[in-house]
Amino acid sequence: MVIAIHGRNFRAEVRHYIERMLHILVHQYHAKLFFSKDFARLIQKHELQAYDGQLYYTNHSDLPEVDFFFSVGGDGTMLESVTHVGARQIPIVGINTGRLGFLATIAPHELEDAVHNLYNGYYHFDDRSLIHLDSNCQLFGELNFALNEFTVTKRDTASMIIVHAYVDGEYLNSYWADGLIISTPTGSTGYSLSCGGPIVFPRSKNFIITPVSPHNLSVRPLIISDQSVISLQVEGRSRYFLASLDSRSEIIDSSVQIAISKERFCARLVQMKEHSFMETLRNKLNWGLDVRN
């Protein structure tokens, strides 16, 4: 089996679990490993054992063909991993060495069992839809897709912006707000949730349109079909605005025209059989926990 591993950071207390995972992959299952340049720096930082003939890749352009892609970190690392994999839909194994972890669901103490499950087929694929961005200035280059959301916001502390939104060419609304979020069901538990958006199950085939601090209190989050195309035009007193795809951002001005649709490929996440989205909701949001229980 050939496995790529990417990670940005992990705490010193999980060092033992990562080292144990690498040892099992190399010495028990004889896996061929490719480390991203960021994960290679982590190996050096935490003084983990290096393996003879270790292979490396730089970014999405030189990632080789692999069977699985291990994402070591939090949800931010998972979002980066999706850009590394791109349209190849390599199954991504999310290892949570961060904090909340809606996407990266495998805890460090579960790593050894997770590796055994992979080699024995005790897992399933959870395909997640992506957002595709088109614009008249080729925003974000060839990485014009996102797992969580596209967001346009005011750049600084200037007055609110106006986002004119259209769905399938028909005028929807002009949002007077600090910004506007277009999220996938996966992204419904991210920035959209913190702005009052609903939680949507991953396979619901929707987009969620959520305003950020809207001026009109009657303006509420809206759920539409992901078969629709959402067009945006931004204006405001400030000359520049901030456009974001997940954790990546670029500065735009009012001349930029934006169209958002469903990406033709998906992100293929690996889920262990003992994990589920509902379990993740209960655990991460502390549902049912009450001093009276």
Side-chain angles (χ1 to χ4, degrees):
M1 189 176 288
V2 184
I3 296 172
I5 305 178
H6 171 59
R8 292 188 302 178
N9 199 11
F10 57 79
R11 305 183 305 276
E13 53 264 34
V14 304
R15 176 186 183 277
H16 165 74
Y17 298 107
I18 302 299
E19 190 166 48
R20 177 63 179 164
M21 175 192 73
L22 297 175
H23 179 83
I24 292 173
L25 286 172
V26 172
H27 297 290
Q28 183 172 337
Y29 290 108
H30 309 290
K32 184 178 182 180
L33 305 183
F34 286 86
F35 291 167
S36 71
K37 60 179 181 180
D38 291 324
F39 190 72
R41 284 194 288 265
L42 278 179
I43 294 294
Q44 183 177 14
K45 174 183 175 181
H46 290 278
E47 299 180 344
L48 298 184
Q49 178 182 352
Y51 300 101
D52 294 337
Q54 183 59 59
L55 302 171
Y56 303 94
Y57 77 94
T58 304
N59 52 42
H60 68 281
S61 62
D62 64 348
L63 175 67
E65 290 299 322
V66 299
D67 299 296
F68 289 96
F69 189 104
F70 281 29
S71 174
V72 180
D75 284 354
T77 308
M78 281 285 285
L79 297 178
E80 279 188 357
S81 297
V82 170
T83 65
H84 288 210
V85 170
R88 286 187 279 181
Q89 296 188 174
I90 299 168
I92 302 174
V93 180
I95 299 165
N96 183 23
T97 61
R99 293 181 293 275
L100 196 57
F102 272 100
L103 297 173
T105 57
I106 299 174
H109 69 272
E110 299 174 316
L111 270 176
E112 189 167 342
D113 289 338
V115 171
H116 293 315
N117 289 343
L118 281 182
Y119 275 85
N120 289 283
Y122 300 141
Y123 62 89
H124 65 274
F125 293 140
D126 185 8
D127 290 344
R128 301 293 184 92
S129 60
L130 303 170
I131 276 177
H132 174 83
L133 174 69
D134 286 309
S135 67
N136 58 348
C137 62
Q138 296 184 327
L139 286 175
F140 301 99
E142 59 184 3
L143 298 179
N144 59 336
F145 56 89
L147 176 58
N148 268 3
E149 73 269 317
F150 168 80
T151 305
V152 59
T153 57
K154 62 181 186 180
R155 187 184 175 193
D156 46 36
T157 57
S159 59
M160 67 184 68
I161 62 177
I162 307 170
V163 185
H164 305 290
Y166 301 78
V167 176
D168 294 329
E170 183 177 353
Y171 176 65
L172 172 64
N173 189 24
S174 292
Y175 291 92
W176 294 63
D178 284 353
L180 191 68
I181 306 165
I182 312 297
S183 76
T184 64
T186 298
S188 70
T189 56
Y191 190 16
S192 175
L193 180 64
S194 69
C195 293
I199 295 175
V200 178
F201 270 60
R203 298 187 182 182
S204 298
K205 299 181 180 180
N206 297 125
F207 287 137
I208 303 98
I209 303 176
T210 307
V212 180
S213 301
H215 178 69
N216 299 316
L217 296 181
S218 60
V219 174
R220 313 307 301 165
L222 184 66
I223 299 175
I224 66 171
S225 167
D226 65 7
Q227 298 303 303
S228 298
V229 177
I230 304 169
S231 304
L232 304 177
Q233 182 72 44
V234 189
E235 63 173 293
R237 293 180 183 175
S238 177
R239 182 178 177 184
Y240 297 105
F241 318 103
L242 187 67
S244 302
L245 273 177
D246 287 344
S247 56
R248 295 163 285 130
S249 61
E250 291 193 18
I251 303 299
I252 64 172
D253 59 33
S254 57
S255 68
V256 176
Q257 297 177 356
I258 295 166
I260 297 159
S261 57
K262 182 179 178 180
E263 184 56 89
R264 58 182 176 82
F265 56 88
C266 66
R268 177 156 290 175
L269 309 186
V270 174
Q271 292 290 340
M272 298 301 155
K273 292 189 179 295
E274 63 269 19
H275 292 156
S276 71
F277 181 70
M278 284 184 280
E279 178 197 38
T280 300
L281 286 179
R282 290 193 303 271
N283 292 339
K284 303 303 181 181
L285 300 179
N286 295 327
W287 285 359
L289 295 184
D290 192 292
V291 293
R292 296 169 296 180
N293 296 330

